[in-house]
Amino acid sequence: MKPPRFRYCSPRILDEALVLLDQYGEEIKILAGGQSFVPLLNMRLAAPAYIVDINHISELHYFETEPDYLAIGAIARQRQVERSVLVQEKHPLLVEVIKHIGHMQIRNRGTVVGSIAHADPAAELPALLTCLDGEVLAQSMHGERVIKAKDFFAGYLSTTLEAGELLTEVRFPWLARQAGWSFIEFARRAGDYALVGAMAVLTPALDDTCMSANIAYFGVAGSPIRARAVEQVLIGTQLDAHTLDAAAGAARDVVGEDMQDVHATVEYRRELASELTRRVLKQAWARREQLEGAQ
Amino acid sequence: MRERDDDLSQCVEECEIAVTVNGNRHEHTVPVRLLLSDFLRHELHLTGTHVGCEQGVCGCCTVLFNGEAVRACLMFAVQADGMAITTIEGMAGVNSELHPIQQAFREKHGLQCGFCTPGIIMSVHAMLHEHPDPTEEEIRHELSGNLCRCTGYQNIVEAVKLAAERLRLQHMEVE
């Protein structure tokens, strides 16, 4: 349980890291919070020749509000975002999601962007980014790319980030003022990876029917899943009992056929997805803000 | 290939570091792959920081890194360069009198084998610094990052409650 040998450097400015990545990207792994990466090293599941530690690149240490989204830089710790009064007020769903990540000792080191880059299909933040149609910013010596969440996650621990690119920022869109939201995950023990997690953002129209729905799951397939089929069931309804039954039924299909492991069977995960759907929809709809003039 | 050597020359296998541990400054040359937990135990001989799982799950190696509770097994010693670390050895006072958290664990029998205790004490220290008056639910939630396989947590929770009460009193007296 000791890491294999590697060579290490910790550049102070972003350009230095990008130069190294540009020339030797395939041999380099980036170290940010290290809360997923160092266990992989300790277990020798990863053995990169070079580790570039970005913790000292102070220009990546930020989170700031933009008109359409909250931008989080690569070195902002999960715990800093969680503790921020500004984020608590303006993006309570993000704070709720972060509170479910590991334990406080993990969140003190772990970064928001690192969790996105690691792309664990059972992790909370990639699912939230998928749910909200968020974006990431990838920078390299040759410029930068903004990548939509749906084009970023590419299966188990895989992303479309290219060798030479560094994930420098993640963008979580704001919720509409009247939107209601909910996040629930089911884990055997506090702090464990969830067997299944679900989240919903529901936006009511003037007539208090559901105008838009963003529903996403994690722990159900190789990547976080946005469930369009479940969303379609909800549009135009007032989430009556019949609609909830239909949505809970549709949610069973989000669980992949191969999601059978020592922790749970496929059928068990389907039951969880179905029940969690019912619960997040009820809670999100109860939290919506009914617009003036609503009937 | 020449250019390659130049660029990656800043990548090293060994590094000189200066770390402040429990108020004492230590200068060492360490291999970059040395975990912080092993640095504390093998280089500084501070064996109170225990090593259970080495994958961030058990919490036995929890130390304070610039005041924040972290897993020492998920950091490299080289990352502690220029930083301040507190371990269980830094908790007792100058005359070896126990820290109020340690004293509470002793009185409430908040341990059996004691293997998990140093990590728990460090976590509790960070918790009570941030939330001086936690509810039992909050205490149990915050303790979830430290595994104890002996006591079933009941006495640990009692010890944390007692420690919180005493630290609040101590704090009021100081003010």
Side-chain angles (χ1 to χ4, degrees), chain A residues 1-3 5-9 23-24 27 31 35 42 44 50 53 55 79 83 103 105 108, chain B residues 3-4 7-8 10-13 32-33 38 53-54 68-69 73-74 79 123 130 142 144-146:
Chain A
M1 294 297 288
K2 306 295 177 193
R5 288 171 68 162
F6 56 83
R7 296 177 81 90
Y8 168 96
C9 68
Q23 289 174 314
Y24 313 104
E27 298 164 73
L31 174 62
Q35 303 301 288
N42 287 357
R44 305 221 171 179
Y50 298 95
D53 181 349
N55 282 284
R79 193 101 152 125
R83 279 178 180 151
H103 308 281
Q105 297 89 339
N108 278 337
Chain B
E3 189 185 336
R4 172 186 185 111
D7 272 320
L8 285 172
Q10 56 179 312
C11 289
V12 294
E13 276 200 307
V32 294
R33 69 176 184 133
D38 287 336
C53 70
E54 293 191 311
E68 301 265 30
C73 75
L74 297 188
Q79 295 185 286
S123 295
E130 194 168 348
E142 293 287 288
S144 69
N146 292 83

Side-chain angles (χ1 to χ4, degrees), chain B residues 127-148:
Chain B
M127 178 208 315
L128 295 182
H129 185 72
E130 194 168 348
H131 305 290
D133 192 8
T135 64
E136 174 160 342
E137 195 188 342
E138 284 166 343
I139 292 171
R140 287 183 178 275
H141 181 75
E142 293 287 288
L143 283 172
S144 69
N146 292 83
L147 299 181
C148 166

Side-chain angles (χ1 to χ4, degrees), chain A residues 3 18-19 51 73 82 95 120 150 189 192 203 209 219-220 245 267:
Chain A
L18 295 182
V19 166
I51 288 180
E82 174 187 345
V95 173
D120 192 313
K150 68 178 166 57
R189 289 162 296 268
D192 269 13
T203 310
T209 58
V220 298
D245 286 345
E267 184 54 27

Side-chain angles (χ1 to χ4, degrees), chain B:
Chain B
M1 290 307 284
R2 174 95 186 97
E3 189 185 336
R4 172 186 185 111
D5 288 337
D6 284 348
D7 272 320
L8 285 172
S9 61
Q10 56 179 312
C11 289
V12 294
E13 276 200 307
E14 278 198 345
C15 200
E16 282 175 34
I17 60 171
V19 192
T20 302
V21 180
N22 303 329
N24 301 316
R25 184 180 156 93
H26 298 270
E27 291 180 18
H28 275 251
T29 299
V30 295
V32 294
R33 69 176 184 133
L34 184 67
L35 296 170
L36 178 58
S37 45
D38 287 336
F39 172 72
L40 294 169
R41 291 176 57 82
H42 302 156
E43 302 293 319
L44 303 188
H45 307 293
L46 295 172
T47 53
T49 298
H50 291 169
V51 169
C53 70
E54 293 191 311
Q55 47 183 291
V57 175
C58 76
C60 291
C61 68
T62 303
V63 299
L64 302 185
F65 182 82
N66 292 342
E68 301 265 30
V70 301
R71 307 286 203 229
C73 75
L74 297 188
M75 291 189 63
F76 296 108
V78 61
Q79 295 185 286
D81 183 31
M83 308 296 176
I85 289 167
T86 307
T87 69
I88 189 69
E89 290 89 347
M91 292 293 284
V94 279
N95 299 317
S96 300
E97 73 273 16
L98 293 180
H99 185 279
I101 299 174
Q102 293 173 306
Q103 185 62 35
F105 270 71
R106 181 182 188 166
E107 287 175 32
K108 290 291 180 183
H109 200 69
L111 65 149
Q112 282 183 32
C113 84
F115 190 83
C116 67
T117 310
I120 290 185
I121 301 276
M122 302 319 289
S123 295
V124 169
H125 189 276
M127 178 208 315
L128 295 182
H129 185 72
E130 194 168 348
H131 305 290
D133 192 8
T135 64
E136 174 160 342
E137 195 188 342
E138 284 166 343
I139 292 171
R140 287 183 178 275
H141 181 75
E142 293 287 288
L143 283 172
S144 69
N146 292 83
L147 299 181
C148 166
R149 300 293 77 172
C150 301
T151 69
Y153 300 97
Q154 192 54 45
N155 290 352
I156 297 176
V157 173
E158 294 301 321
V160 176
K161 283 185 194 168
L162 180 62
E165 194 183 314
R166 286 189 180 155
L167 285 170
R168 283 200 307 276
L169 273 174
Q170 203 179 64
H171 202 70
M172 280 161 65
E173 280 165 16
V174 170
E175 280 177 354

